[in-house]
Amino acid sequence: MRNLIDITDLSVDEINELIEVGKDIKQNKEKYFGKCKGKQLATLFFEPSTRTRLSFESAMLSLGGSVLGFSSAASSSTAKGESIADTIKTVSSYVDIIAMRHPQEGAATIAAKATKVPIINAGDGSNRHPTQTLTDLMTIKSEKNRLSNFTIGMCGDLKYGRTVHSLVAALSRYENINYIFISPKELKMPQEVLDILKGKNIKFEEVENLEENIGKLDILYMTRVQKERFADEKEYERLKDVYILDMQKLKNAKQDLSILHPLPRVNEISEDVDNDTRACYFKQVENGKYIRMALILKLLNIAKK
Ligand code: CP
């Protein structure tokens, strides 16, 4: 039985295959309907979500399976004090596969020890978000036709941003990628993520100014400053507007820049950027469903053909 807790639970070959299957599903949706007939997915979301929960549910329904679950801790027995392990032991008696999001770092690892069915980490606190990374990689591959030989800038809340932590872990296994980490000093990439790159002798830069660096980038991965991760609201208020990508800043960017963002956004990308051909974040949303369909098939050992 396979789980997906960290993106490195998948080999590079497996990730590349998932991307190809995701692309095939996108082109040939009807071929996949009914593949999960009789299978059930539980979406256990202890933390808010729009894209991840609904794309998992849409993915399973499009495969002909069914879904059940909850969208907040308040509507589960967690509110009565039940542990993560007991919840997972219980739900894994009912369903074939589980996607879980939880505000606590490491919650997915605890769940993996308790589960009887494949479990997918749909985000654990500020730690990891591997299915967002699959979505990001599918989008980069679709836009650039490669997962190597580019310069990527990651901008915003790199400290608490689980999407960028997982994305660095994934990209560190591909060739010749330059990293520019753009953040205020209070929201720098955590040392344990930088150590992944250092351990492989991969160079990176840490800078504070987006405008001075945007022209070097092939991919710009914007992130939201996450109010829910700050203990001190004043600190959030001070940092929340530090990066706002607008058409003025894009004047210095390459014409073939790809702008990604895991969403939700608050104000860090101005809405007029949405109409620029370089904006890829709603393509990411769409790809998220298809790559999750591919992942469900893989973890349930269901043949694609
Ligand atoms: N990207 C992402 O995880 O979005 P949601 O929080 O809406 O699921």
Side-chain angles (χ1 to χ4, degrees):
M1 185 187 83
R2 295 281 300 275
N3 300 314
L4 179 60
I5 305 305
D6 189 285
I7 193 67
T8 55
D9 293 338
L10 295 167
S11 70
V12 171
D13 285 348
E14 286 178 313
I15 290 174
N16 294 341
E17 192 195 351
L18 282 171
I19 292 169
E20 291 314 308
V21 175
K23 285 161 91 172
D24 190 57
I25 295 172
K26 192 173 179 176
Q27 297 303 320
N28 304 288
K29 298 176 185 71
E30 67 295 335
K31 205 170 101 186
Y32 292 85
F33 187 74
K35 291 278 181 195
C36 283
K37 191 165 182 284
K39 300 289 184 188
Q40 294 186 9
L41 164 76
T43 51
L44 310 183
F45 277 61
F46 297 86
E47 196 182 57
S49 168
T50 296
R51 275 146 294 273
T52 311
R53 185 172 66 84
L54 295 181
S55 65
F56 264 118
E57 294 187 357
S58 178
M60 191 50 147
L61 293 172
S62 295
L63 290 165
S66 48
V67 297
L68 64 158
F70 51 80
S71 57
S72 74
S75 61
S76 77
S77 285
T78 306
K80 301 179 217 163
E82 185 166 64
S83 69
I84 296 168
D86 283 1
T87 302
I88 295 298
K89 273 183 206 156
T90 302
V91 176
S92 66
S93 300
Y94 304 150
V95 301
D96 302 285
I97 186 165
I98 297 172
M100 185 187 89
R101 171 172 290 184
H102 200 283
Q104 182 185 320
E105 290 80 21
T109 304
I110 295 168
K113 288 182 184 141
T115 192
K116 293 185 273 188
V117 299
I119 189 151
I120 301 167
N121 180 7
D124 60 333
S126 60
N127 187 33
R128 294 291 189 268
H129 192 348
T131 63
Q132 180 63 47
T133 300
L134 292 174
T135 302
D136 301 340
L137 296 177
M138 179 172 166
T139 307
I140 293 170
K141 184 72 196 291
S142 300
E143 293 300 309
K144 301 290 186 209
N145 202 26
R146 63 186 191 278
L147 284 170
S148 55
N149 302 310
F150 55 71
T151 297
I152 184 167
M154 300 187 191
C155 178
D157 178 359
L158 307 185
K159 179 178 179 182
Y160 299 115
R162 59 192 172 200
T163 61
V164 288
H165 303 164
S166 285
L167 186 56
V168 170
L171 289 177
S172 72
R173 301 193 290 172
Y174 291 86
E175 295 297 312
N176 195 26
I177 297 173
N178 300 313
Y179 300 83
I180 303 182
F181 299 133
I182 307 160
S183 75
K185 58 183 180 315
E186 295 87 346
L187 297 177
K188 282 170 68 170
M189 194 65 90
Q191 193 59 46
E192 61 106 356
V193 179
L194 298 179
D195 285 345
I196 296 171
L197 299 178
K198 284 183 181 166
K200 297 180 181 186
N201 286 321
I202 298 170
K203 291 198 170 57
F204 58 85
E205 286 177 63
E206 293 183 283
V207 301
E208 291 193 33
N209 192 301
L210 174 59
E211 279 162 291
E212 283 173 11
N213 290 282
I214 198 166
K216 303 174 194 166
L217 306 178
D218 301 300
I219 297 164
L220 171 58
Y221 195 98
M222 291 294 293
T223 64
R224 173 175 66 99
V225 177
Q226 302 171 87
K227 187 176 186 183
E228 65 272 28
R229 307 277 179 236
F230 281 79
D232 179 354
E233 191 161 343
K234 282 196 195 124
E235 180 85 336
Y236 167 73
E237 289 296 331
R238 196 169 61 76
L239 296 170
K240 69 182 171 60
D241 296 329
V242 69
Y243 300 111
I244 297 179
L245 182 66
D246 56 19
M247 292 309 295
Q248 180 62 33
K249 289 199 182 81
L250 277 174
K251 281 191 177 149
N252 296 327
K254 292 182 183 175
Q255 278 312 309
D256 64 348
L257 174 73
S258 298
I259 305 164
L260 277 71
H261 189 312
L263 304 181
R265 84 175 137 189
V266 182
N267 63 347
E268 59 280 2
I269 301 181
S270 164
E271 283 186 18
D272 53 358
V273 175
D274 297 2
N275 298 321
D276 192 286
T277 53
R278 291 168 286 190
C280 298
Y281 27 95
F282 287 106
K283 294 181 189 171
Q284 275 170 281
V285 169
E286 197 189 350
N287 290 335
K289 171 177 170 174
Y290 300 116
I291 197 90
R292 289 183 174 103
M293 287 172 77
L295 180 66
I296 290 169
L297 291 173
K298 180 175 181 60
L299 295 183
L300 289 178
N301 288 314
I302 293 174
K304 270 83 71 183
K305 302 284 176 219

